[in-house]
């Protein structure tokens, strides 16, 4: 996998993970183009499309689009299930995840993704094992009030 | 809130954070983490962040997990190439890797895998393999290490050393922890692609692992079972790994793999264990990967046909995703000889998909599949369907469909009138999407096939009657009528004058390049139809032509007008002769499609379907670059591109480059010629003193030479040997003379059969005429298709000036008299050089004789020296040559002196002969 993007129906990017080295400018360009392309597609359309020399696999969950770019020989259906498994992981961790969870706890969304996918490849498919790793990390956290997030509420 | 308010708020916050970071008070870890995290948040909202890296790096060395974690996240998301920072980051990572704390190690490895820069590869590519195979490494760390190494290998393969660890990595396929196996399989697959030998043992391990998974009950694998499908991700990865290799040689392994694949195909027929889409997706993901492997092996007809039937079911599935994938996968099945026929049975379904699918990306797949399944039997149907689809097709895919139709029409044309009709239809329906390559090609084909020329002229004439026709049609029409308008001129309805008026009625609506082309058509008409000459001269003479603001048009008008006035009928007829046939070459349309689709996709289809029509070009001219240009050295011949025609790939692309030189008006850039093959210099030198031997050899091809020369003429037999057991297709040797060489050396040859059977040898005769002395050597370029690949080889052809030597015997006295006569400093060239070979008198004598001059004994007072004499014969003149070679055994040096009446000749001969000793 070359990258994964999460964005809202309004086209707001919520999470980006790049597995190939690209400049910020390229990343922005790709994001803009892809968000447009995917949002323009109708609901019943196929989840796969060719884009440049990559294959895009995307799926919408509630207000969020999950969008992966894979290479020519990669398997589309299993990528679709990568997305689903990631959603399941988020769901389990946050307990019925919603877009706001990902906005305000973006770091958790990243940590879970890193346990599941690394370097663009599936690292661990067992839901239990991934969540166990995250929970262990959470235990290491000092018990302290999570106050740093004040900014985000103000903005939105 | 409004966008502006957000930006204002963020700038305020950024200013605040900046002041905190710059403040006198040292921040504690918690605050640092807080602000770094805020920065990240702001970045993820889509704003640029250009500070905070240093604070994030500080967090890396914190002992508090959350602080470290946020530091790593910041570094991973906001990669920075500042070298000082990278040093600090690498240091922190190094510490964490050595910490033996699996959580910290995990963070460090995740960071390396996310950034994956070259600097990180330099720092850690040696370390990570050790972590990966160490006995006491935790499973989760092993998983991260494997994928981390994979990422580094992808960015900097040269920095990842292969070694002992590779065999231990392969054995991770046997690991008890399926997560470890999953991660390791990705790594092994990527490594095996580049180093297949080193990872060969992974095949049997992968097969047995796969076998255990597919035969396991759905609950056996516990949390690795996904919606009743056992370990789908791992299965897919194992099947991918096996696609790095040919079918296993060991019959037991092979049998076991076949069983696995059959089991997967059988499971597809079982009723689903769940109605959830995740179940069917996971199951079908494995199925499609298995089918990819079956196609990759392309060796089990039974499995291939089963795969095809399975995909056939999916073609009508209610899930759009499955229909899409089935169309895509069937495309590759179509190229296998075992399943091509089976794929063809689905033609109606695919055509239906083209008409009814609502999603353009699915329709695009249907077009691809129709293209892939096309052969002689169904080409008329498929081409007709594509043409009718083109009328309503999405703009985004029109050009590609046009290319595909053009290729299929050409490739499967039994009847070239059908071909011409199809291309004209293409222009009519989708003229804007018909690229240059397409209309060049139709002209090439019409020119090369005289049976279709009359029909083509008649058809374009009729098509041009339409009140509004596409400019591309005007181009094709103009070109074809200019060449073959005479074939329909007998019919009073298409008399010369009517043809001319028809074309000229379009003239003012066309762009400059098309007008330029039409002017060429007009001058060709002057030759074809003397009766319209005055009319055409009037047109050329009009101010709108002669004083046209466009320099290209103006120049053409002026020159054509002049040409039509001063040249005699004979000269006109020569200059404006019909274009000679184009050389057979790979269709430029195909090249264009390949470029569009990226390499691989199209090539495969082309090569596996061997029934390509190679005779499209009728009797192709061999493209002897020099022949026609030299035989008619009239400058005006070049004017119309006749001289350049045999190498011009296409019709008249009016290159309106500012130069306005008409010479290149008709010539496009020639097809790409490979650089000279390595070692060809050495081989070339060996032929200076001999005429027969092997000129070139690689794993596929051997080129042998046999040649004879007399006076200024010569004949060379070139033998092309196919060393493989597979045919070479489109085998096209081309002789290339540079512009400098062309006027001096005349080469003529006949084309060879474009197909060279495996193990066969074909012969080509080149007739050589030395017109004047020359210094360069011609290049022999050979292009052909072998298996899946296009081969392109260039070697220098050893036709050297000394081949036209006639030895002259003379007495000592005569020699010195002539030697003195050639005492002008420009006539003498001398070279002192070190011996490259043992200094053996007999060998030296043989070489001088082989060089072509007479070896004169007892001329030089010093018996150790060698003296030679001869005459170089060229068509225009004869040049006497004297040479003297003085060996110095002690110094292992030679001094070679050449005296001839022409400086260039002395120079060249001295160069050639010096290289021999």
């Amino acid at each position: 996998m070359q990258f994964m993007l999460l964005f809202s129906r309004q086209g707001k990017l919520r999470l980006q993970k790049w597995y190939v080295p690209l400049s910020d400018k390229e990343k922005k360009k790709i994001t803009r183009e892809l968000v447009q392309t995917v949002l323009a597609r109708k609901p019943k359309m196929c989840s796969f499309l060719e884009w440049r020399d990559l294959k895009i696999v995307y799926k919408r969950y509630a207000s969020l689009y999950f969008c992966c770019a894979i290479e020519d020989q990669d398997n589309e259906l299993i990528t679709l299930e990568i997305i689903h498994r990631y959603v399941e992981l988020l769901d389990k961790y946050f307990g019925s995840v919603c877009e706001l969870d990902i906005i305000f706890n973006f770091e958790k969304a990243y940590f879970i993704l890193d346990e599941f996918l690394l370097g663009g490849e599936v690292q661990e498919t067992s839901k239990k094992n991934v969540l166990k790793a995250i929970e262990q990390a959470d235990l290491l956290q000092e018990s302290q009030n999570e106050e740093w997030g004040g900014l985000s509420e103000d903005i939105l | 809130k409004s966008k502006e308010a957000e930006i204002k708020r963020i700038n305020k916050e950024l200013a605040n954070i900046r002041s905190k970071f710059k403040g006198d008070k040292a921040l504690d870890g918690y605050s640092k983490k807080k602000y770094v995290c805020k920065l990240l948040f702001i970045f993820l909202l889509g704003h640029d962040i250009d500070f905070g890296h240093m604070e994030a790096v500080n967090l890396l060395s914190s002992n508090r997990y959350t602080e470290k974690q946020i530091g790593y996240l910041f570094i991973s998301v906001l990669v920075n190439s500042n070298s000082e920072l990278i040093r600090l980051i690498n240091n922190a990572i190094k510490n964490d890797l050595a910490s033996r704390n699996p959580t910290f190690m995990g963070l460090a490895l995740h960071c390396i895998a996310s950034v994956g820069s070259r600097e990180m590869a330099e720092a850690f590519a040696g370390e990570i393999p050790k972590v990966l195979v160490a006995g006491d490494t935790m499973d989760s760390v092993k998983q991260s290490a494997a994928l981390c190494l994979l990422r580094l290998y992808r960015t900097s393969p040269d920095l990842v050393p292969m070694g002992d660890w590779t065999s231990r990595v392969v054995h991770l396929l046997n690991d008890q922890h399926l997560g470890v196996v999953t991660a390791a399989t990705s790594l092994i697959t990527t490594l095996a692609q580049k180093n297949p030998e080193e990872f060969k043992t992974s095949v049997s391990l992968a097969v047995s692992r796969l076998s255990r998974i597919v035969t396991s009950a759905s609950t056996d694998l516990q949390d690795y079972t996904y919606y009743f499908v056992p370990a789908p991700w791992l299965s897919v990865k194992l099947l991918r790994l096996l696609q790095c290799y040919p079918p296993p040689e060991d019959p037991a392994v092979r049998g076991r793999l076949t069983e696995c694949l059959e089991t997967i195909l059988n499971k597809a027929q079982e009723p689903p264990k769940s109605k959830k889409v995740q179940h069917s997706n996971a199951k079908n993901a494995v199925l499609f990967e298995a089918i990819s492997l079956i196609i990759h092996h392309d060796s089990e007809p039974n499995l291939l046909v089963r795969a095809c039937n399975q995909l056939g079911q999916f073609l009508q599935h209610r899930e759009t995703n499955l229909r899409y994938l089935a169309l895509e996968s069937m495309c590759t099945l179509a190229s296998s000889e075992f399943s091509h026929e089976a794929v063809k049975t689905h033609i109606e379904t695919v055509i239906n998909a083209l008409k009814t699918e609502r999603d353009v990306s699915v329709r695009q797949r249907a077009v691809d599949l129709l293209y892939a399944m096309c052969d002689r039997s169904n080409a008329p149907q498929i081409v007709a369907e594509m043409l009718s689809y083109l009328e309503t097709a999405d703009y985004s895919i029109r050009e590609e469909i046009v290319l595909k139709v053009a290729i299929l029409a050409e490739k499967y044309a039994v009847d070239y009138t059908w071909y011409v009709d199809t291309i004209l239809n293409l222009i009519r329906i989708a003229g804007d999407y018909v690229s240059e390559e397409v209309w060049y090609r139709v002209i090439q084909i019409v020119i090369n096939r005289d049976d279709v020329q009359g029909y083509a002229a008649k058809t374009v004439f009729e098509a041009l009657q339409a009140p509004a026709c596409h400019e591309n049609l005007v181009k094709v029409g103009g070109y074809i009528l200019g060449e073959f308008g005479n074939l329909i001129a007998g019919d009073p309805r298409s008399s010369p004058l009517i043809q001319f008026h028809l074309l000229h009625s379009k003239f003012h609506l066309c762009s400059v390049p098309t007008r330029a082309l039409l002017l060429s058509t007009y001058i060709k008409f002057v030759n074809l139809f003397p009766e319209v000459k005055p009319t055409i001269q009037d047109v050329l003479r009009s101010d709108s032509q002669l004083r046209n603001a466009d320099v290209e048009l103006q120049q053409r008008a002026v020159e054509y007008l002049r040409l039509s006035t001063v040249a005699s009928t004979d000269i006109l007829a020569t200059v404006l002769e019909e274009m000679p046939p184009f050389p057979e070459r790979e269709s430029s349309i195909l090249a264009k499609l390949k470029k569009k689709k990226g390499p691989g996709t199209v090539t495969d289809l082309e090569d596996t379907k061997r029934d390509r029509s190679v005779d499209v070009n009728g009797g192709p001219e061999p493209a002897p670059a020099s022949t026609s240009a030299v035989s008619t050295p009239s400058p005006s011949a070049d004017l119309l591109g006749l001289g350049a025609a045999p190498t011009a790939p296409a019709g008249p692309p009016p290159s309106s480059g500012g130069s306005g030189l008409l010479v290149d008006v008709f010539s496009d850039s020639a097809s790409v010629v490979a650089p000279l093959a390595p070692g060809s210099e050495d081989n070339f030198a060996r032929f200076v003193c001999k005429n027969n031997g092997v000129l070139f050899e690689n794993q596929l091809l051997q080129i042998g030479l046999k040649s004879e020369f007399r006076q200024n003429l010569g004949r060379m037999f070139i033998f092309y040997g196919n060393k493989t057991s597979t045919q070479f297709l489109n085998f096209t040797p081309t002789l290339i003379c540079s512009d400098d060489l062309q006027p001096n050396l005349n080469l003529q040859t006949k084309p060879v059969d474009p197909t060279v059977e495996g193990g066969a040898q074909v012969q080509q005769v080149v007739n050589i005429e030395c017109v004047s002395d020359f210094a360069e050597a011609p290049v022999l370029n050979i292009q052909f298709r072998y298996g899946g690949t296009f081969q392109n080889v260039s070697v220098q052809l050893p036709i050297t000036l000394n081949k036209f030597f006639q030895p002259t015997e003379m007495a000592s006295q005569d020699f010195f008299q002539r030697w003195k006569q050639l005492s002008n400093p420009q006539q003498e060239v001398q070279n002192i050089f070190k011996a490259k070979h043992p200094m053996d008198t007999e060998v030296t004598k043989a070489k001088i004789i082989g060089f072509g001059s007479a070896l004169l004994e007892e001329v030089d007072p010093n018996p150790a020296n060698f003296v030679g004499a001869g005459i170089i014969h060229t068509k225009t003149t004869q040049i006497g040559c004297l040479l003297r070679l003085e060996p110095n055994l002690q110094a292992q040096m030679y001094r070679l002196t050449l005296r001839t009446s022409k400086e260039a000749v002395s120079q060249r001969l001295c160069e050639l002969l010096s290289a021999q000793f």
Side-chain angles (χ1 to χ4, degrees), chain B residues 310-383:
Chain B
Q310 182 61 54
L311 295 177
Q313 290 181 18
F314 285 153
L315 284 183
Q316 318 220 31
H317 202 279
R318 59 186 170 79
E319 278 270 331
T320 314
N321 288 346
L322 284 180
R323 295 199 302 276
Y324 176 96
L325 294 174
L327 288 166
E328 182 182 69
S329 190
M330 237 187 214
C331 256
T332 41
L333 268 182
S335 61
S336 163
E337 53 175 316
F338 301 116
S339 48
H340 183 72
E341 288 304 314
V343 170
K344 273 168 64 186
T345 59
H346 299 287
I347 184 167
E348 296 302 333
T349 318
V350 182
I351 287 172
N352 199 41
L354 193 59
K355 290 177 177 161
T356 57
E357 283 291 351
R358 288 209 219 130
D359 185 345
V360 54
S361 45
V362 185
R363 290 197 296 270
Q364 162 96 59
R365 292 283 83 82
V367 172
D368 289 349
L369 179 52
L370 284 177
Y371 178 74
M373 67 161 72
C374 192
D375 62 20
R376 213 168 282 279
S377 70
N378 55 21
Q381 186 189 6
I382 286 178
V383 166

Side-chain angles (χ1 to χ4, degrees), chain B residues 97 109 112 124-133 145-146 148-149 152:
Chain B
L97 276 184
L109 289 168
I112 302 174
F124 303 111
E127 188 59 32
I128 294 171
K130 291 181 204 152
V131 175
L132 177 57
V133 297
C148 192
L149 189 57
L152 295 183

